[in-house]
């Protein structure tokens, strides 16, 4: 026999933070605290009874697990689209690893977006329980940055580490399965950390959902998502290209035996040196004060040296050259 001794709070506008309280509505972060399970074996007929000493009790029967279940691996895209995609088709036009987009660059694009999509399981068919914690981490590639307030005070617990800032930046957002923003409601949900990896200065983003955000998520078998607004350093462009490869990680954490984390597949962007043409017209002047049009030097020879050491000899009076900058 199971006996309920807690207090289920069915009104979503009320707090249920008491030691013996739980949110008595589907989608609450602790809804499963007010449930019991009856294992079903081989027979097709099962008898059990539900009763209440108060004369009335709200009851429901579901086939889902009493514990959270493992999530699917998340996916990642890189795009200029300013809102996440709802549905199975995802914009990913800036990823040069996609077939047919091998020559795609992010040259001269000031702001664009990473999206991390996480597929939900079904409530209550797969489980009646949501994860206790959902955490997204993303170490941005060298040269890629997200805006945040560098003047924010470091967290006291982590102040000895290289540079962790509680920024709650507006450039990292959470979207529900309906494509609408789920706002931040707790200080310290978004950390932007300065880290050094293989001698390169990079940024690490950690986004931890609050209980209110997890409650607001509709676990309906569709994707919720994070959006990271990014930009890159054009000065890193080298020939033939400077590549920026990125993947993220999503963790569902409900304690021992019910914690899983999965990486996304990497997305790849690149910048290339800008190309331009110049004309060289060789003339001779008497001295630095000569203001005439000069004398044609069609027979003179000049040598241009490329950054890689390759030399190009010029002999004509006017010649065209193609440069990478």
């Amino acid at each position: 026999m199971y006996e309920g001794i807690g207090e289920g709070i069915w009104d979503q506008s009320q707090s249920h933070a008491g030691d013996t309280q739980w949110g008595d509505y589907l989608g609450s972060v602790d809804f499963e605290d007010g449930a019991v399970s009856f294992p079903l074996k081989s027979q097709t007929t099962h008898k059990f009874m539900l009763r209440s000493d108060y004369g009335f009790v709200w009851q429901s029967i579901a086939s889902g697990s009493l514990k959270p279940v493992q999530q699917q691996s998340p996916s990642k895209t890189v795009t200029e689209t300013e809102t996440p995609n709802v549905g199975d088709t995802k914009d990913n036009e800036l990823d040069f690893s996609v077939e047919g987009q091998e020559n795609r660059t992010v040259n001269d694009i000031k702001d664009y977006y990473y999206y991390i999509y996480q597929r939900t399981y079904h409530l209550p068919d797969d489980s009646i329980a949501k994860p206790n914690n959902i955490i997204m981490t993303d170490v941005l590639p060298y040269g890629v940055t997200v805006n945040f307030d560098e003047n924010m005070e470091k967290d006291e617990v982590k102040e000895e580490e290289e540079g962790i800032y509680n920024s709650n930046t507006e450039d990292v957002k959470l979207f529900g399965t309906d494509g609408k923003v789920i706002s931040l409601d707790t200080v310290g949900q978004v950390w932007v950390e300065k880290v050094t990896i293989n001698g390169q200065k990079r940024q690490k983003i950690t986004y931890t959902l609050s209980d209110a955000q997890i409650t607001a998520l509709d676990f309906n078998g569709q994707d919720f998502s994070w959006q990271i607004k990014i930009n890159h350093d054009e000065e890193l462009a080298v020939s033939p290209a400077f590549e920026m490869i990125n993947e993220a990680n999503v963790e569902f954490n409900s304690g021992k035996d019910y914690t899983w984390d999965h990486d996304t597949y990497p997305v790849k962007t690149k910048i290339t040196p800008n190309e331009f043409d110049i004309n060289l017209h060789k003339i001779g002047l008497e001295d630095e004060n000569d203001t005439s049009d000069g004398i044609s030097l069609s027979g003179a020879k000049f040598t241009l040296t490329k950054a890689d050491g390759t030399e190009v000899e010029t002999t004509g009076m006017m010649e065209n050259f193609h440069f990478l900058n």
Side-chain angles (χ1 to χ4, degrees), residues 78 109-114 140-141 144-147 171 205 228-232 269:
V78 57
I109 301 177
K110 183 179 179 181
D111 295 314
Y112 49 105
Y113 304 90
Y114 286 141
L140 301 182
V144 174
T145 55
V146 62
N147 292 326
D171 285 348
I205 298 169
I228 304 175
K229 185 178 181 181
I230 56 172
N231 49 66
H232 63 264
T269 55

Side-chain angles (χ1 to χ4, degrees), residues 148-155 164-168 187-188:
F148 72 103
D149 185 357
E150 295 197 18
N151 296 317
M152 296 291 292
E153 294 183 2
K154 296 179 183 179
D155 178 63
I164 303 177
Y165 294 84
N166 169 14
S167 76
N168 277 14
V187 174

Side-chain angles (χ1 to χ4, degrees), residues 3 13 15 28 56 61 73 84 93 97 132 142 147 196 201 208 230 251 260 264-265 271 298:
E3 180 181 2
S13 66
S15 170
S28 164
F56 173 79
I61 298 175
S73 293
E93 78 280 0
S97 67
N132 293 350
Y142 175 61
N147 292 326
T196 300
K201 300 290 186 180
T208 303
I230 56 172
E251 177 181 306
W260 306 275
T264 65
Y265 284 108
I271 49 178
S298 60

